[in-house]
Amino acid sequence: MAKQIQIAIIGAGTFVKNQYIPRLSEISNLVSIKYIWSRSEESARSAVELANKSFTEVECKWGDAGLDDIIKDSSVVGVAVVLAAQVQVDIALRLLKAGKHVIQEKPAVANNAEAEMALSNYNFISPGIPNKPIWAVAENYRFEPGFIEGRMLIGEIGDMMSVQVIVEGSMNSSNPYFSSSWRRNFTGGFILDMGVHMIAGLRMLVGCELKSVSALTAHIDTTLPPPDTYPVHSIQLENGCPGIFVMATNIAPQIFWRVVGLNGTVQVERGNVDGKHGYLVSKFNVAGQCTSSFHPFSGVTEELKTFLHDISEASSDHKPDPRLSFSEGVRDVAVLEAMLESGTKQGAIVPVKTLTRSEILNIGL
């Protein structure tokens, strides 16, 4: 039986209660939650009460003093940072400097400038030592079986001819994140927060980076911060393949990724089968015949299991799973940043700025 890894959760909001605590409960043989922290005592206690059902020893921490307690506790080797995007990087770096392995929620950063500053600070942690604390970004789309299956099938359809990403996301008063204040005060707002998932899914499927984008943006739903709509995006992959990316909020959900190749087409679509939410993966051959499979959501559980495994092997020559790397999260943001910039320039083509391989090696990620 694997040894339980002791962690803390920084944050006690909706996603912690709806996802982190339930998913960690499913793998309680691998992990023990020692602390849950929030800015307020009330919020922390409400999350601890929920976690107590599976983790009876979990303690409540709040405020600056509570955070200091967690930082100083050497028995806590891993920390999940699930906070507003504006403060996640600063908190993560404090924990990393204390020697904790960190998995923080997406988006990794607000923009490339913040990414460069964050990576520079990370590089100064234990200089000269190859095994720095792990800095991971939670991006469950890279761990969803539907995307893993889709990537495999795309390898069977020959050279790519076009890609399409259509996102109609329901962001209205019925959505638990609609009233989130940090998303309303964040550059790009809901589009950036939700959009990094869609870009992660695209990059996962096609297996290459995006080279450039051309975007038109709009602000139609005044209950949401601008922009709320990307009516048209033309994109170009590094392999030369063209495509489109269309994203609009406040509509009944319909989300799919479609890749057309010389020998067939692969589509990954969010859906619901027998009451289970997940991804329907379909492959069409040149004769129009279709084979499909459905994969229920399990990405959050799989990414947390991978993070725990990487922690357990951190003292060896084991390389952390690249799907969780901070640099991958930064690349997702870089695409959205280019789209936002293009939107302000009436659709001008904007290159996507991404970290080079040598830069990644230089910072030890």
Side-chain angles (χ1 to χ4, degrees):
M1 183 176 177
K3 181 180 178 181
Q4 287 182 319
I5 293 171
Q6 195 148 258
I7 70 166
I9 299 176
I10 305 299
T14 301
F15 200 69
V16 167
K17 293 174 180 175
N18 290 351
Q19 287 294 328
Y20 270 80
I21 292 173
R23 302 293 79 81
L24 288 168
S25 296
E26 294 172 358
I27 53 174
S28 59
N29 61 311
L30 303 176
V31 64
S32 171
I33 303 175
K34 186 168 185 180
Y35 303 114
I36 296 179
W37 176 94
S38 182
R39 287 172 297 177
S40 72
E41 179 181 0
E42 179 183 6
S43 179
R45 288 198 181 282
S46 67
V48 165
E49 183 179 354
L50 182 62
N52 266 143
K53 298 173 184 176
S54 298
F55 303 98
T56 57
E57 303 300 319
V58 61
E59 298 178 38
C60 180
K61 294 288 183 178
W62 63 91
D64 292 341
L67 185 58
D68 287 341
D69 288 344
I70 294 171
I71 289 173
K72 294 173 183 176
D73 190 337
S74 60
S75 71
V76 174
V77 296
V79 183
V81 178
V82 194
L83 297 170
Q86 291 93 330
V87 299
Q88 285 198 128
V89 170
D90 288 343
I91 297 293
L93 284 167
R94 285 185 63 187
L95 292 158
L96 289 161
K97 289 174 182 176
K100 315 294 188 189
H101 301 292
V102 172
I103 182 169
Q104 71 166 70
E105 264 302 317
K106 55 80 193 169
V109 287
N111 49 51
N112 277 310
E114 184 181 351
E116 290 173 5
M117 181 65 71
L119 292 170
S120 176
N121 288 333
Y122 178 75
N123 195 37
F124 281 105
I125 297 173
S126 304
I129 298 176
N131 293 328
K132 291 182 175 65
I134 296 166
W135 192 359
V137 172
E139 180 45 76
N140 55 352
Y141 281 43
R142 284 190 259 274
F143 289 84
E144 290 291 352
F147 283 97
I148 295 170
E149 171 75 5
R151 178 72 189 99
M152 183 189 72
L153 293 176
I154 285 172
E156 301 174 1
I157 62 173
D159 292 341
M160 295 180 199
M161 300 173 67
S162 70
V163 297
Q164 303 170 41
V165 182
I166 307 298
V167 181
E168 298 173 354
S170 58
M171 185 52 65
N172 50 45
S173 58
S174 64
N175 189 300
Y177 303 104
F178 178 77
S179 299
S180 167
S181 60
W182 76 258
R183 291 175 176 86
R184 293 179 176 275
N185 299 316
F186 194 63
T187 302
F190 292 92
I191 289 287
L192 178 59
D193 180 52
M194 182 167 52
V196 288
H197 274 321
M198 309 310 159
I199 296 301
L202 173 61
R203 293 178 57 240
M204 172 77 177
L205 286 172
V206 300
C208 71
E209 301 299 334
L210 281 78
K211 180 180 180 180
S212 63
V213 301
S214 173
L216 298 175
T217 60
H219 187 205
I220 297 170
D221 184 354
T222 56
T223 68
L224 294 172
D228 69 305
T229 304
Y230 289 114
V232 178
H233 276 171
S234 65
I235 60 177
Q236 185 177 32
L237 305 182
E238 282 189 343
N239 63 10
C241 179
I244 62 170
F245 183 105
V246 179
M247 187 171 180
T249 58
N250 207 29
I251 303 174
Q254 181 176 356
I255 303 173
F256 67 83
W257 296 254
R258 186 177 178 90
V259 179
V260 179
L262 279 172
N263 302 320
T265 297
V266 172
Q267 179 167 299
V268 177
E269 182 175 9
R270 288 187 64 155
N272 185 318
V273 173
D274 297 329
K276 294 183 178 180
H277 293 275
Y279 294 98
L280 179 66
V281 182
S282 302
K283 178 186 175 184
F284 304 85
N285 64 21
V286 290
Q289 297 169 320
C290 175
T291 56
S292 298
S293 58
F294 182 76
H295 304 266
F297 292 149
S298 63
V300 174
T301 302
E302 292 305 314
E303 72 183 359
L304 290 171
K305 285 168 64 176
T306 301
F307 177 61
L308 294 169
H309 174 71
D310 286 344
I311 290 177
S312 70
E313 298 291 333
S315 60
S316 67
D317 293 332
H318 170 77
K319 298 296 183 183
D321 193 309
R323 290 176 295 174
L324 277 176
S325 71
F326 184 80
S327 59
E328 284 295 303
V330 168
R331 285 173 174 156
D332 295 334
V333 172
V335 176
L336 271 298
E337 185 177 12
M339 290 179 174
L340 288 166
E341 180 182 344
S342 178
T344 66
K345 297 178 177 178
Q346 292 73 52
I349 295 175
V350 173
V352 177
K353 181 181 179 182
T354 58
L355 291 169
T356 65
R357 296 294 176 188
S358 60
E359 287 172 328
I360 294 170
L361 289 173
N362 187 49
I363 58 176
L365 286 180

